[in-house]
Amino acid sequence: GARVMRAFRFDQRATQVLSLVDASLEMLAQARERRATGSGSAADLWQLEIIISDGICQDHDALRAALRRAEEQRVMVVFVILDSLHSKGAIGVGGRNESSILSMTKPTIKMVDGRAEVEMARYLDTFPFEYYVVLRDVEALPDVLAGTLKQFFERIAEA
């Protein structure tokens, strides 16, 4: 554990969420195959992946495709957004934190009567992850993770 912790670096300019999801799905598939050869069938095996990040990710369409693959492989991907990473921003109209992911908008281009129009949508309205939670207080992370595990076990018990 200590060796793994020393390997963490936080100097990247952006998180490559799509690469993370693709690589983790490959690793989880390999683990599922190892389990299938060791103990019979892994057909009933569900896997859980928890991503903890600031929630900013690119290429939402490609991420949606990867998340559909995850669901087909019985991998539940939960995204914990640490909104407190951006909480030092300016307070805007209505007392809202303008740097919060809850306030962010994303431009979308729509064709209307043969013309391209730019519309602004709330970032989280276009967020590709079905299961996500926005965490404003990092000290609540253990409770959120415990709740996530509880919901995961409830969901697989229903399946």
Side-chain angles (χ1 to χ4, degrees):
R3 189 176 71 225
V4 171
M5 292 300 289
R6 281 193 299 275
F8 282 140
R9 299 289 178 259
F10 299 96
D11 56 356
Q12 61 271 68
R13 295 211 175 272
T15 304
Q16 302 299 322
V17 177
L18 180 59
S19 297
L20 169 71
V21 171
D22 285 338
S24 62
L25 287 179
E26 188 175 314
M27 291 173 63
L28 290 170
Q30 291 171 2
R32 198 170 35 256
E33 288 171 12
R34 281 194 304 270
R35 177 164 185 211
T37 58
S39 65
S41 174
D44 293 334
L45 178 67
W46 276 86
Q47 294 169 301
L48 174 65
E49 177 176 349
I50 300 174
I51 300 171
I52 302 174
S53 176
D54 63 0
I56 308 301
C57 48
Q58 309 301 322
D59 203 356
H60 287 194
D61 292 334
L63 270 169
R64 280 187 191 89
L67 293 168
R68 278 191 298 276
R69 266 193 339 272
E71 192 170 337
E72 290 167 2
Q73 296 174 11
R74 301 182 90 166
V75 176
M76 182 177 178
V77 182
V78 177
F79 202 114
V80 178
I81 301 171
L82 294 180
D83 198 39
S84 61
L85 296 176
H86 300 290
S87 64
K88 294 180 175 69
I91 303 299
V93 177
R96 291 172 52 201
N97 184 341
E98 293 300 319
S99 64
S100 169
I101 199 161
L102 300 170
S103 302
M104 287 178 54
T105 57
K106 179 181 177 184
T108 56
I109 299 174
K110 305 251 179 177
M111 294 303 288
V112 178
D113 297 327
R115 295 181 337 193
E117 291 188 7
V118 177
E119 291 183 1
M120 298 303 282
R122 284 186 44 224
Y123 178 77
L124 287 178
D125 289 345
T126 65
F127 197 62
F129 291 84
E130 180 179 355
Y131 304 106
Y132 71 90
V133 62
V134 178
L135 190 60
R136 309 282 318 252
D137 179 10
V138 74
E139 291 183 15
L141 185 59
D143 292 334
V144 168
L145 293 177
T148 299
L149 286 171
K150 180 180 179 222
Q151 290 177 9
F152 171 72
F153 289 122
E154 288 172 354
R155 180 160 188 254
I156 63 171
E158 294 171 359

